[in-house]
Amino acid sequence: MKTIKRIGVLTSGGDAPGMNAAVRAVTRLALYKGVEVMGIYNGYQGLIDDNIKELHERDVSFIINRGGTMLYTARCDEFREASGIKKAVDTCSRHGIEGIVTIGGDGTFRGAVDLTDAGVPCIGIPGTIDNDIASTEMTIGFDTAMNTVVELIDKLRDTSESHARCTVVEVMGRDAGDIALQTSIAVGAVTAVIKEIPTDFDHVIDKMVEARKNGKRNFIIVAAEGMGHDYGEELSKMIEKRSGIETRFARLAHIQRGGSPTLRDRVLATQMGCAAVENLVEGQMKQVMCLRGNNIVAMDIYDALTVDKLMKGKLSPDEEDRIPPNKLYEMKRIVADKQAYKKYLNYIIDHITL
Ligand code: F6P
């Protein structure tokens, strides 16, 4: 087996609290195993610009508690083109980088697959507040973002109660309703409006009007940003008009991405970072680290991307036909589990609020 001497680590796409904890774990364990670590700054852009610096133990001190990413991040269009990938491969060979741990969301994994295909094997660690990576039950940053949302909605609820108002709160998640669903439960929202499950507004408004008659003063409705940019504002107008309850709109936006990571995110990031290093020193690259039933497992990076496309409805019939039936069955099961879980959370919200 070929011994790996030097790896790179990068963070890419939207930052997520806990990315630093992952960078720290990768660096520390790799150094312990005698593997040198090169920090690649600004995501894939750093490979194009040759923005790279060797990381030592002390370079990753006192970052486990910090939000954002010490390696910085970027969304890099040039890396989508063959010329960009060629530059990245050349940079890796100049620095003797034999493999890269890439920390980020689905865009990051697409980049990791391209880089892997071009001869630089990658290992992916899912880091995004959206929790929208199909292969893992949880992504790094999701827990912290949800806790931030809960803290902020609790504050909105104070003022909603004082003024006897409804507040429609838009939360992030890109096309995924995961943040909206779980935070809705935690703040006692009337409903979570998400792309994945239709909302029966007649029912919601009837419940609100009835509850108001019975003395309920505040109402929170959580809307996922995937519903569209102007959706939340329009929804608040519609709710006010139809229910007669004064309604305000609040977009939480990027504040959800900042802040010190929770214990859950620090531990998950550390476990995934360590697992990635353990695997790559064993010569196991081209993988994505995933949380399944409280265990960190590795999934082939191509399969992880395929199951992700399947979940997001982006897998073409041709691509689907090429997947062996046993694998396709397993992928469909993963996607179905996720969808069923969302329906279950939605059912809870619908049946225990108001
Ligand atoms: O993927 C993380 C995320 O915060 C999404 O929830 C959101 O849709 C997007 O990134 C916002 O991107 P940007 O930081 O480029 O505005």
Side-chain angles (χ1 to χ4, degrees):
M1 189 176 65
K2 184 172 170 287
T3 320
I4 298 249
K5 292 202 184 64
R6 178 175 279 189
I7 59 163
V9 58
L10 63 80
T11 53
S12 167
D15 60 351
M19 280 182 162
N20 280 327
V23 171
R24 171 179 176 270
V26 167
T27 306
R28 290 268 168 91
L29 192 63
L31 293 173
Y32 174 79
K33 302 245 174 203
V35 178
E36 292 168 348
V37 182
M38 305 301 282
I40 300 159
Y41 289 79
N42 290 328
Y44 293 112
Q45 191 66 49
L47 285 175
I48 290 171
D49 301 341
D50 202 344
N51 191 354
I52 293 174
K53 189 176 121 314
E54 187 168 355
L55 296 177
H56 302 283
E57 279 91 347
R58 296 272 67 79
D59 293 319
V60 292
S61 291
F62 202 27
I63 62 166
I64 195 166
N65 53 321
R66 279 172 35 205
T69 158
M70 66 158 276
L71 292 177
Y72 311 129
T73 183
R75 302 194 197 273
C76 176
D77 289 337
E78 201 180 341
F79 196 72
R80 290 171 184 266
E81 287 158 29
S83 58
I85 293 174
K86 161 117 190 26
K87 279 189 202 166
V89 173
D90 290 347
T91 307
C92 289
S93 65
R94 267 199 313 282
H95 286 276
I97 294 173
E98 294 163 84
I100 300 183
V101 179
T102 61
I103 306 163
D106 57 357
T108 306
F109 293 158
R110 274 196 302 279
V113 165
D114 290 343
L115 205 50
T116 298
D117 285 342
V120 182
C122 294
I123 290 200
I125 294 181
T128 164
I129 64 162
D130 301 341
N131 204 41
D132 62 344
I133 304 291
S135 54
T136 182
E137 284 164 11
M138 201 165 180
T139 57
I140 296 166
F142 178 51
D143 188 62
T144 307
M146 288 195 298
N147 278 286
T148 302
V149 168
V150 167
E151 191 187 328
L152 294 170
I153 296 184
D154 283 348
K155 290 184 182 5
L156 288 167
R157 195 158 158 161
D158 289 345
T159 169
S160 299
E161 175 73 7
S162 304
H163 289 262
R165 283 176 181 156
C166 170
T167 303
V168 173
V169 188
E170 185 200 90
V171 299
M172 276 189 169
R174 203 174 289 277
D175 289 321
D178 298 47
I179 295 178
L181 279 173
Q182 297 216 20
T183 58
S184 286
I185 292 179
V187 302
V190 176
T191 189
V193 188
I194 65 169
K195 239 172 128 174
E196 299 91 316
I197 304 170
T199 306
D200 178 354
F201 281 110
D202 292 339
H203 173 63
V204 169
I205 287 164
D206 285 352
K207 279 206 306 184
M208 286 174 69
V209 170
E210 195 54 34
R212 173 53 62 88
K213 279 191 205 140
N214 293 329
K216 182 165 172 61
R217 290 177 61 83
N218 79 74
F219 299 88
I220 297 290
I221 293 178
V222 180
E225 69 167 337
M227 296 303 297
H229 188 262
D230 299 325
Y231 182 86
E233 203 145 15
E234 292 305 317
L235 178 65
S236 65
K237 287 184 198 149
M238 187 272 273
I239 297 283
E240 179 165 304
K241 194 162 167 227
R242 289 185 54 188
S243 68
I245 298 167
E246 192 183 8
T247 304
R248 292 283 189 269
F249 169 66
R251 171 172 291 132
L252 302 187
H254 290 78
I255 200 160
Q256 295 162 90
R257 287 228 303 253
S260 179
T262 57
L263 174 144
R264 186 80 194 89
D265 275 330
R266 295 182 198 196
V267 173
L268 181 66
T270 303
Q271 285 181 314
M272 285 184 167
C274 289
V277 171
E278 296 286 2
N279 285 9
L280 71 86
V281 296
E282 294 282 317
Q284 310 278 332
M285 313 277 256
K286 307 181 186 179
Q287 295 178 331
V288 172
M289 298 299 113
C290 308
L291 181 74
R292 300 250 187 87
N294 229 13
N295 295 313
I296 307 295
V297 298
M299 188 171 193
D300 174 84
I301 198 165
Y302 297 97
D303 290 350
L305 202 66
T306 307
V307 73
D308 206 59
K309 278 179 159 182
L310 190 65
M311 183 176 78
K312 292 170 184 159
K314 292 181 180 164
L315 195 71
S316 71
D318 274 0
E319 285 175 307
E320 189 169 326
D321 278 351
R322 285 199 292 273
I323 305 170
N326 56 338
K327 222 177 220 183
L328 187 62
Y329 166 75
E330 176 62 16
M331 288 177 178
K332 286 193 169 170
R333 204 183 51 77
I334 290 173
V335 171
D337 273 1
K338 288 219 160 203
Q339 287 164 344
Y341 186 57
K342 287 187 190 188
K343 283 199 179 134
Y344 163 63
L345 295 181
N346 194 57
Y347 172 90
I348 292 176
I349 299 162
D350 210 31
H351 287 77
I352 66 162
T353 47
L354 299 185

